[in-house]
Amino acid sequence: MDFLANCPQYIANGLANGCIYILVAMGFNIIFNSTGIINFAQGEFCMFGGLFAYTLAASAGLPLPLAVVLALAITAAIGGLMERLLVYPLRRAGVLVAIIATIGASIFFKSLGRILWPKEAYKVPEFTPGNISLPGATISRQFLWVFGLTIVSVAAVYLFFNHTRSGKAMRACSVNRLAASLVGINVMRMSLYSFLLAAALGGLAGLINAPYASYSIGLFLGVKGFTAAAVGGLGNTFGAVAGGVVLGLLEELIPGFLTVVLGVSTGYKDAVAAILLIAVLLFRPQGILGRGVVEKV
């Protein structure tokens, strides 16, 4: 009975975490759609977003809205530089080489973050401090921002890909990059746009993941975001939403059930993401909303 009584709190926590995973997963999807690359440095964009927001708002004393905008702009610029300095030169080297290069970029960004922000954690200012009491649950006011900004981001990404020329061009690249280039689409410019947009989304995930940020948070959020993208269907915007929500809820409900009902430790909470990812890859590799690909041989 205690488990059922705690379910509203588990669901609220799961939705809050799931919204963060959605933003990270959409970053994975955008770059994958435009380039075919899985960018393993996506989590480090979250790190930059959170830590630049801390530096600009808490250290430099800028108003929080201005600090947020500047943190997003700087993180997007880092994404753009990464594309120009790393991915663009490897454009003829193949997707696998580019993916390996993003792993190197992830390690470099994390090391850079450790040098610039050596402490284990920094307190990022919340948009609206305080908590709200609901029947059966207590949520932070920051959750309302997380929820609202996630909805706005999902809608903006959907509208961008379906109602703008650049978005449609990026979708064309995801179907066939060679054919897209033959009809006049600048494939490499679309690649640059995808990194700018994915980095901004990652930065947003990092800075609204208040109140703490650290140089090591990139790996954590990167793994969770990739799992959400794969579970929902890699490359699918609404798949990222489904994957993020499913992962966030299962991470709260399963450990809650095991602890309250069975008395098992929750020390392996993070294993839920790994088990879920393996299960999806084994039984539905295209993800919840993904479509299987049929290849003629």
Side-chain angles (χ1 to χ4, degrees), residues 26-119:
M26 285 199 300
F28 275 105
N29 286 342
I30 289 169
I31 291 178
F32 178 76
N33 276 341
S34 299
T35 66
I37 296 172
I38 296 173
N39 173 31
F40 285 103
Q42 183 65 31
E44 272 57 46
F45 294 151
C46 307
M47 173 197 74
F48 281 126
L51 291 175
F52 273 119
Y54 159 79
T55 299
L56 295 169
S59 298
L62 295 179
L64 185 57
L66 178 59
V68 167
V69 172
L70 289 177
L72 291 179
I74 294 171
T75 306
I78 291 173
L81 283 174
M82 175 182 167
E83 197 279 340
R84 288 291 100 172
L85 299 178
L86 185 67
V87 177
Y88 181 76
L90 295 174
R91 61 191 180 281
R92 295 186 179 88
V95 170
L96 181 59
V97 174
I99 291 174
I100 294 172
T102 67
I103 297 175
S106 171
I107 296 171
F108 172 75
F109 286 151
K110 183 177 180 179
S111 300
L112 183 62
R114 188 169 189 172
I115 293 172
L116 296 177
W117 297 281
K119 294 182 180 178

